[in-house]
Amino acid sequence: MEETIIAYRFDRLEETLSQLNKANCAIVAGGTDVMVMHKSRRGVPPKITKPIIFIDHLLELKQVNQNGNDLHIGACCTYSELLRDPLIPMPLKKAIKTIAAPAIRNRGTLGGNICNASPAGDTLPLLYVYNAKLLLRSVNGDRIVPICEFIQGVRRVQREPNEILTEIILPSVLEEGAHVVFEKVGNRNADAIAKVGFAGYIRTKGAVIEDVRFAFGAVGPTMIRSNEIEKKLLGKTIPVTDMDIAKVVAAFDKIIKPIDDQRSTAIYRKTVALNLLRYFLTNSTHIQHI
Ligand SMILES: Cc1cc2nc3c(=O)[nH]c(=O)nc-3n(C[C@H](O)[C@H](O)[C@H](O)COP(=O)(O)OP(=O)(O)OC[C@H]3O[C@@H](n4cnc5c(N)ncnc54)[C@H](O)[C@@H]3O)c2cc1C
């Protein structure tokens, strides 16, 4: 017997939210994770038990705006669109360029990367150090959640069935004086899933560190960030001393607990993650000082 898939594609976000409120549906943005997750045998349609609701075309979810120093990115902007947008900061473009190949970048969205909540999601380490906030909308209204609270585990997010992630807000991302880096280690520069991802953020006033943040990807169930460790460097002057670098590295050594899998070994991942941190602290704090 032929299987029927019910699919909705409304012109407006409002109608989409209204349908989501009536029935639990599988949201499809670019579909690049959904299709892989539900794939069947060659030539057989994917098995999705719920009705599908498409959101990738909704104009309300495809805007990029600046509001003061904050950047608002529509959840359904594709990677290719973000690469072309002059408002998108260079470190985020660098991360996007490491994702897949152009065909996937033409479909895959930033919102999809977040809601898929893979430990190896390439934009996630950066979004964590940018302190990204997520705007979730439903028929009941809006709520804003920090990304670190939204993502709760491997492919586990704090989203109500009637909610859509509409916007990613990067606070103060366009502020002068911050130095941000993104590094991905994979089998090759692009089209490879990360063995380790790293993002670092540092803002100084004169030689004094006013803010510093680190996030590691693919070395735990979610991104690893520690406000407690970051605080150890606040108020210190740059360049950071070897002793302070060693203390920060030792503190992360205790909390980074990667696993062995088909892509890499735990020991390789941990060594690389700590080397990237050490490199960031040594080099970025020198660059800032010059
Ligand atoms: C060949 C290939 C290579 C890839 N390479 C990489 C890579 O190098 N790095 C990387 O990080 N990823 C990679 N991916 C994974 C994927 O492309 C990204 O995670 C992409 O960002 C997913 O976006 P999407 O719009 O396609 O999401 P979809 O597949 O449409 O959705 C993913 C999940 O998020 C939910 N969702 C999507 N948008 C919303 C929203 N706005 N509100 C609520 N829920 C939503 C969906 O219901 C689903 O659960 C690859 C995938 C493929 C097939």
Side-chain angles (χ1 to χ4, degrees), residues 20 25-38 55-56 61 75-77 79 95 98-101 104-105 107-118 120-124 136 150 157 159 163-167 184 190-194:
L20 263 186
C25 297
I27 296 175
V28 179
T32 60
D33 278 317
V34 172
M35 296 304 279
V36 173
M37 218 172 305
H38 298 281
I55 61 165
D56 59 311
L61 307 182
C76 284
C77 292
Y79 293 126
T98 70
I99 294 178
I104 294 291
R105 297 206 285 262
R107 292 290 313 157
T109 63
L110 191 56
N113 205 226
I114 296 167
C115 293
N116 188 52
S118 157
D122 280 321
T123 65
L124 303 182
L136 292 144
F150 182 70
V157 295
R159 182 182 74 80
E163 285 180 322
I164 288 182
L165 168 62
T166 55
E167 238 179 47
K184 168 177 171 175
D191 214 358
I193 297 181

Side-chain angles (χ1 to χ4, degrees), residues 52-118:
I52 293 169
I53 194 154
F54 291 104
I55 61 165
D56 59 311
H57 59 290
L58 294 171
L59 288 181
E60 296 98 324
L61 307 182
K62 292 187 77 68
Q63 316 290 323
V64 178
N65 299 304
Q66 186 177 346
N67 184 358
N69 281 323
D70 297 354
L71 193 62
H72 295 247
I73 305 174
C76 284
C77 292
T78 64
Y79 293 126
S80 300
E81 285 161 350
L82 295 177
L83 282 178
R84 288 193 294 268
D85 195 301
L87 285 175
I88 300 301
M90 287 318 287
L92 185 51
K93 287 190 176 175
K94 183 178 174 192
I96 290 172
K97 281 183 192 161
T98 70
I99 294 178
I104 294 291
R105 297 206 285 262
N106 287 341
R107 292 290 313 157
T109 63
L110 191 56
N113 205 226
I114 296 167
C115 293
N116 188 52
S118 157

Side-chain angles (χ1 to χ4, degrees), residues 194-242:
K195 293 172 194 269
V196 180
F198 171 81
Y201 171 108
I202 186 161
R203 185 165 49 75
T204 53
K205 190 166 189 185
V208 178
I209 299 176
E210 286 198 324
D211 201 350
V212 67
R213 308 167 198 167
F214 317 104
F216 300 86
V219 290
T222 60
M223 300 304 106
I224 295 193
R225 223 193 118 176
S226 164
N227 291 326
E228 208 183 300
I229 301 175
E230 290 167 4
K231 270 197 228 144
K232 290 179 197 284
L233 288 171
L234 298 185
K236 303 254 178 193
T237 51
I238 55 169
V240 180
T241 63
D242 289 348

